[in-house]
Amino acid sequence: MISRRRFTQAIAASLAAPSLAGCSSTPARPASGANASLGPIKQIDAGRLSVGYAEFGPADGPVVLLVHGWPYDPGSFIDVGPALAAAGYRVISPYLAGYGPTVFLSKDAVRNAQQSAVALDIVALMDALRIDSAILAGFDWGARTVDVVAALWPERCTALVSVSGYLITNLQANLKPLPPAAEYGWWYQYYFATERGVIGYRENRHDFNRLIWKAASPTWNFDDATYARTAASFDNPDHVDIVVHNYRWRLSLAPGEPRYDAFEQKLATGPQIAVPTITVASDFDGPNVDGKAYRDKFTGRYEHRILEGIGHNVPQEAPEAFAQAVIDAAHL
């Protein structure tokens, strides 16, 4: 999910939403959204995975890759995809490793969710689909993933939309303790650090993730059908291992793989991102909603947008605003 600090700040924001000058107010949408299905799901071998993905729009349109996070799936883009397709874009939204129909090609593969491994999954998918470059957009793990791709392989990214801004993980910084309120907001990371937590998540993942949805998007009144559509993706046999590895790796409690070391060393320097970028903040971002904390990380053409009354699942809660950010990023 998102950074430790920002999750706690979001809790505070949900109790007392700030008044922000210059913000764009985004009206709440019906919880069920405009669309009830992603349509036929396609499948392709790409790198270490057989990737399931939704696709919208003309085959010859400019390509947009929409990347989800935890505990979500491409259903977060169920209204964004058709909106971009109507504007002439070819839209692809993959299920990440451990979600829905995406499975490892080798039963012996490490169920690795460190940031560079997930980013390379996106690059491998682009290679498999013969996509040289694309507009990359994401939130939560997806924002971190597209940030990494833009930082390490900028030639693959024509423009970037990143919810909550610069989310590249710094392992050393994550070792530093936070104030008690911040640690409280990160409770599930510590739960996943225990074997009890692994068992609990494996047995109760549907109720667990619904709780996260409510905490992260307190004003989004999603219905049972909306949640059930995404919750089916958590039945993937690798889901628990992927989620647990991601959070344990981020606390240096689980190792990455040596083949990714060179990439992680580059990411540890906090590389700047030069591609045209729009960052999007919502109520979830709390005091960081103005984007000033990460402004200097983006050195190319840049805009920052604030959505009031919206929680963490920005593309599903505010699909029009998210789709417009993608279109505008392509024209920066």
Side-chain angles (χ1 to χ4, degrees):
M1 210 175 169
I2 200 168
S3 73
R4 292 187 290 167
R5 298 179 191 277
R6 289 177 186 163
F7 188 84
T8 301
Q9 292 161 349
I11 293 174
S14 70
L15 296 176
S19 175
L20 299 164
C23 296
S24 59
S25 180
T26 304
R29 284 181 58 82
S32 59
N35 296 286
S37 172
L38 289 167
I41 300 301
K42 300 181 179 181
Q43 200 83 19
I44 192 169
D45 289 354
R48 62 180 183 159
L49 302 171
S50 174
V51 180
Y53 64 98
E55 183 167 1
F56 309 89
D60 60 349
V63 180
V64 178
L65 273 167
L66 303 175
V67 188
H68 70 85
W70 174 84
Y72 306 97
D73 78 346
S76 291
F77 305 105
I78 197 166
D79 293 327
V80 173
L84 291 174
Y89 291 88
R90 179 189 180 192
V91 181
I92 295 166
S93 185
Y95 292 81
L96 295 181
Y99 294 80
T102 295
V103 295
F104 285 84
L105 292 172
S106 170
K107 64 180 179 59
D108 298 321
V110 177
R111 272 44 179 175
N112 182 348
Q114 70 184 100
Q115 61 185 352
S116 57
V118 180
L120 277 167
D121 289 342
I122 297 301
V123 173
L125 175 62
M126 294 174 69
D127 289 344
L129 294 173
R130 299 182 180 179
I131 297 168
D132 293 329
S133 63
I135 304 160
L136 303 182
F139 76 108
D140 195 85
W141 291 15
R144 177 173 297 106
T145 300
V146 297
D147 284 351
V148 170
V149 175
L152 295 183
W153 304 284
E155 70 279 3
R156 308 306 296 268
C157 182
T158 56
L160 179 70
V161 174
S162 180
V163 173
S164 300
Y166 189 88
L167 296 183
I168 292 174
T169 296
N170 184 312
L171 293 180
Q172 288 301 311
N174 276 2
L175 292 175
K176 298 177 182 178
L178 300 174
E183 302 289 15
Y184 173 75
W186 201 235
W187 65 271
Y188 56 87
Q189 177 163 347
Y190 300 113
Y191 187 67
F192 292 150
T194 69
E195 290 309 303
R196 174 190 174 99
V198 176
I199 296 170
Y201 187 59
R202 195 177 301 278
E203 293 181 353
N204 302 301
R205 72 190 81 167
H206 286 218
D207 289 345
F208 190 106
N209 290 341
R210 189 177 185 117
L211 175 65
I212 296 296
W213 275 35
K214 290 181 177 179
S217 299
T219 64
W220 182 38
N221 297 315
F222 58 89
D223 57 24
D224 291 343
T226 297
Y227 179 70
R229 187 169 55 230
T230 286
S233 287
F234 310 145
D235 292 331
N236 182 294
D238 300 311
H239 178 76
V240 174
D241 291 340
I242 285 291
V243 171
V244 169
H245 183 265
N246 178 279
Y247 288 106
R248 288 186 176 184
W249 176 82
R250 283 160 63 178
L251 282 183
S252 298
L253 297 175
E257 291 180 83
R259 60 177 169 153
Y260 301 112
D261 285 352
F263 302 122
E264 295 298 345
Q265 289 166 8
K266 292 180 181 178
L267 295 172
T269 68
Q272 293 178 318
I273 293 173
V275 304
T277 299
I278 292 177
T279 54
V280 179
S282 68
D283 289 356
F284 188 88
D285 294 281
N288 285 325
V289 73
D290 61 11
K292 291 180 180 179
Y294 48 77
R295 175 63 186 92
D296 63 353
K297 290 297 185 181
F298 299 95
T299 61
R301 296 186 296 279
Y302 177 81
E303 290 184 14
H304 180 68
R305 298 181 179 181
I306 300 170
L307 305 181
E308 289 183 312
I310 299 299
H312 188 40
N313 188 356
V314 170
Q316 201 162 5
E317 295 180 67
E320 294 96 342
F322 191 89
Q324 191 62 53
V326 172
I327 294 169
D328 292 345
H331 294 91
L332 281 179

